Amino acid sequence: MSTETNTLPPGLEGEAYRAHVRSWLATNVPAGFLADRPGHRTPGLEDCRAWEAAMHRGGLAGITWPVEYGGHGLSLREHLIANQEIGRLALPESVNSLGKELAGPIILAIGTEEQKQRYLRPLLEMREIWCQGFSEPNAGSDLAGLRTRAVRDGAIWRVTGRKIWTSGSPNARRCLLLARTGPLEDRHKGLALFAMSMDLPGVSVHPIRQLDGKDSFAEVLMDNVEIPAEDALGSPDEGWGSAVRVLSIERATNRMYRAWRFENELAHLVQACRADATLNRALESGLWHRRLAETVVDIELIKAHVEPVVEALVQGEAIGDRGSLMKLHWSEAHQRFAALALELLEQAPPGAAPEVAAARQRFNDIYMRGRAETIYAGTTEIQLGIIGDRILKLPRGR
Amino acid sequence: MNANTEDRDGLRAFAETARHAIAACQKLTLRERAARLAADGLLGILAAEEAGGLGLDAGFAVPAMEAAGAGLLGFPLLETLLLAAALGQDPSANTIVFGEKIATIAWSGTADHTGGVLHGTVGRAPLAREADLVLVATANGAALVALDGPGVTVTHAIGLDIDAPECEITLDGAAPVATIGPEALAHLREEALVLWAAAIQGSADACLALAVEHTGTREQFGRQLVTFQVLRHALARQKLAVEHIRATLTRYAALAAAGAPEARLARHTAFAVATRFGAAAVESALQLHGGMGFTWDLPLHRHLRRIRAWEAQGDNVGLHRGLASDLLRANA
Ligand SMILES: Cc1cc2nc3c(=O)[nH]c(=O)nc-3n(C[C@H](O)[C@H](O)[C@H](O)COP(=O)(O)OP(=O)(O)OC[C@H]3O[C@@H](n4cnc5c(N)ncnc54)[C@H](O)[C@@H]3O)c2cc1C
């Protein structure tokens, strides 16, 4: 039931694909979308929805997915190329990245043919926004302690429980839900993954105000929700393995544009300083040079982690635990940079140029929102634990 | 020739040879080390074939430098490799590749080269007191000088490295035995960044292994130290440092092989990452040894000493200044 037309010219690969992406972005980015340009306005949900649907039609989303599910059938190399070009522009974050980058890949990996047909195209076309229901009030870092219970009852699963910090859930139509089918003592066993419709009776969403004043995440309550059996993903005890896969994607390949967006942020910071005499003078001081240079190095280091992962995946290797190395670095590096941007821009005198005001707005947001980067997708402490346990294989003691 | 995937076996063989040779060097004198490393073909990896070398690109020297770092090799291997290549078909290249002459480089300072003779003081020349030749920067390239010739005084410099101590050299009318142009010198300095990064990776990895071993055997509070989470996290950060350096070296090799213009920035990144994260990793490994870490006998301080020496030889401060000015110029 394709409602959209694909405008990606067939047969484009590598640098030819890059040229397409560049020219497509140059002509299609809506006015006011770019945070580093004059006249920037934060786009609303419907603007973002329309924009992301257009990106899909233009061949910039669902890049590696098979054509029969609405994808473009290209390789992860093209996915990287698109992300590099998207990253270079100060575009808004996707409102459906959980769908496109986490739910989609896991559905492609473990979903049935019928499920792939049902979920993937609506998601790419932005008719269905997804959220990720893993964390619970008593199961954050210790995800295997989750208590949301799913009990099979004929053609349905009865689900009761609480999820929390569920990003994007106030706008979501579907939830990638991790729930317990076995006893709590079984921990990693007896967990199942569902593609739960958020419209089902018994599902309620209670927004939680974030530190940036937005209501982006929420508590999701499920009270005796009847999930049709055809919305269960994989077998009932495959849930943990699938969840780990989701998390490894989240750490390693999700938002692959990070290094290039980070580069855009750094360039924006310098250009904003150019617009003000005091800040421009500050830039000449060696005090900032070392930290600016270290930011350049931090960005290049992200690229050095991302590019080989793409090649390894293209060669058929698994992501494994290397996502923990990457996630630790990009999250901490971005926080270091945000602090630098804040300190530099704080020197602006009152009545500074509008470019400076716009940059301060952007970098204040980046600094505050950046706090989450060392928390979600497994905290810094959890990543360090993974490196110690699974990469270094340190003994745990007798 | 480039270090692409087909050459992986070759690289592995180099790494193996280098590890053996470097382990054997521990009991040898400097002269004997030169002979041993030459016999294993390790001194001419980058030198032209006409000079008795293998004519390979810097990627092939990475495993040897890693092994040299890990094995605390007291020999100017990096200098030898680069100099033998920079000298091209000059006869002196041959003597260096075959280990007949030991060559080093004065990494800091510039000598005045007028009227065919050199004047001035240069520094940061590892092992110059025992070497035969030194490369000295001049206003238009660099000059190779015989260290036992007239007008050359070598003195011990204040420096950290004890395995390849740094020296200062005062030139008072010394005549060069060979010269290289400014491009060759610039190229040599650029390639050195990659080789130092590789050596630092080897050092950091070796220190991590020591720290894992120590915390896994020593008990306090009735437990192996490694079972304390705070120490596991410190070890994880050391591992992260090693993997950071490895990732930047791998990316550099790929970009260099493709002849990509980004290779220069990737090279600078490898050095900056190696010095920043490598030094921190070794400091942390030392910390995890407690009082033992503060002893002369444990090699941790030797690794730390040389990383700090390499950081200065490669002008880490100037490299960062350059990165900042590139950024500012690109956003003028
Ligand atoms: C902005 C944002 C968006 C999010 N979006 C989603 C989402 O869409 N879906 C979803 O499922 N979840 C989401 N999360 C939740 C996120 O995954 C969890 O917050 C995270 O896993 C940490 O769990 P917690 O909040 O319960 O903290 P805790 O697990 O209680 O941790 C508190 C502190 O203790 C530390 N700690 C915990 N255990 C250990 C240990 N064993 N050793 C050492 N230190 C430890 C942690 O590192 C942390 O510093 C989001 C979180 C944020 C901030």
Side-chain angles (χ1 to χ4, degrees), chain A residues 86-217:
Chain A
I86 288 166
R88 287 186 221 283
L89 301 176
L91 286 163
E93 304 275 353
S94 166
V95 296
N96 200 10
S97 75
L98 292 165
K100 286 188 271 194
E101 304 216 63
L102 303 183
I106 205 71
I107 292 163
L108 279 166
I110 64 168
T112 62
E113 179 58 30
E114 190 264 337
Q115 288 174 328
K116 292 176 193 172
Q117 296 288 354
R118 183 144 37 100
Y119 306 133
L120 296 177
R121 200 179 285 274
L123 173 173
L124 287 174
E125 295 176 356
M126 296 298 291
R127 289 180 281 120
E128 290 193 351
I129 289 177
W130 283 63
C131 61
Q132 175 193 15
F134 283 19
S135 304
E136 299 184 2
N138 288 310
S141 298
D142 186 15
L143 184 59
L146 67 86
R147 287 157 195 268
T148 293
R149 175 152 293 289
V151 180
R152 185 70 191 243
D153 184 358
I156 60 156
W157 287 89
R158 277 187 197 287
V159 176
T160 296
R162 287 166 80 185
K163 293 291 170 182
I164 196 164
W165 322 125
T166 320
S167 298
S169 53
N171 305 316
R173 284 287 304 280
R174 276 200 190 268
C175 178
L176 185 68
L177 178 77
L178 190 61
R180 186 167 295 287
T181 55
L184 185 59
E185 304 74 58
D186 277 2
R187 305 256 315 154
H188 305 86
K189 282 179 268 164
L191 291 174
L193 209 51
F194 297 90
M196 177 180 79
S197 164
M198 297 292 283
D199 302 332
L200 291 173
V203 177
S204 60
V205 177
H206 307 271
I208 303 169
R209 182 135 308 172
Q210 303 183 156
L211 53 61
D212 59 357
K214 302 212 172 82
D215 293 339
S216 305
F217 60 25

Side-chain angles (χ1 to χ4, degrees), chain A residues 276 278 345-353 356 360:
Chain A
D276 177 84
T278 307
L345 290 171
E346 270 163 10
Q347 295 180 90
V356 175
R360 288 190 67 179

Side-chain angles (χ1 to χ4, degrees), chain A residues 267 271 274 289-290 293-294 297-298 300-301 303-305 307 332 381 384 389 392 394-398, chain B residues 219 224 227 232-233 235-237 239-240 244 248 251 265 269 272-273 276 316 320 323-324 328 331-332:
Chain A
Q271 285 159 10
R274 295 289 192 212
H289 289 181
R290 179 67 182 236
E294 286 182 346
V297 169
D298 275 336
E300 293 301 305
L301 180 51
K303 294 180 190 171
H305 280 293
E307 290 172 358
E332 295 185 338
E381 290 74 20
L384 289 170
D389 297 346
L392 282 174
L394 300 174
R396 287 168 192 272
R398 308 152 218 144
Chain B
E219 292 190 10
Q224 286 165 284
T227 61
R232 300 172 80 82
H233 285 190
L235 293 166
R237 288 214 181 260
K239 177 65 174 167
L240 183 65
H244 280 344
T248 57
R251 179 157 188 266
L265 178 54
T269 300
V273 163
R276 170 156 39 130
N316 196 38
H320 279 83
L323 290 171
L328 296 178
N331 295 284

Side-chain angles (χ1 to χ4, degrees), chain A residues 24-30 33-34 43-58 60 86 89 91-95 100 126:
Chain A
W24 190 90
L25 287 168
T27 45
N28 288 283
V29 173
F33 256 50
L34 300 180
L45 176 66
E46 288 316 309
D47 294 331
C48 287
R49 208 192 269 271
W51 159 244
E52 291 188 45
M55 288 216 310
H56 169 238
R57 290 193 297 275
L60 280 72
I86 288 166
L89 301 176
L91 286 163
E93 304 275 353
S94 166
V95 296
K100 286 188 271 194
M126 296 298 291

Side-chain angles (χ1 to χ4, degrees), chain B residues 117-228:
Chain B
V117 289
L118 297 155
H119 285 277
T121 302
V122 293
R124 297 208 173 280
L127 289 162
R129 291 234 283 202
E130 298 170 77
D132 304 304
L133 298 162
V134 64
L135 187 79
V136 174
T138 60
N140 48 0
L144 190 67
V145 179
L147 283 159
D148 60 355
V152 182
T153 316
V154 183
T155 51
H156 204 95
I158 296 168
L160 284 173
D161 192 352
I162 54 174
D163 289 285
E166 291 180 329
C167 302
E168 275 188 8
I169 298 155
T170 303
L171 301 160
D172 189 11
V177 296
T179 55
I180 64 171
E183 291 85 25
L185 179 65
H187 180 74
L188 177 153
R189 284 191 162 277
E190 285 287 319
E191 300 251 283
L193 297 173
V194 178
L195 302 191
W196 276 312
I200 294 172
Q201 188 200 309
S203 260
D205 209 8
C207 292
L208 166 60
L210 291 173
V212 168
E213 166 71 19
H214 180 72
T215 55
T217 40
R218 171 144 174 98
E219 292 190 10
Q220 285 290 276
F221 303 97
R223 297 159 58 178
Q224 286 165 284
L225 286 176
V226 74
T227 61
F228 288 98

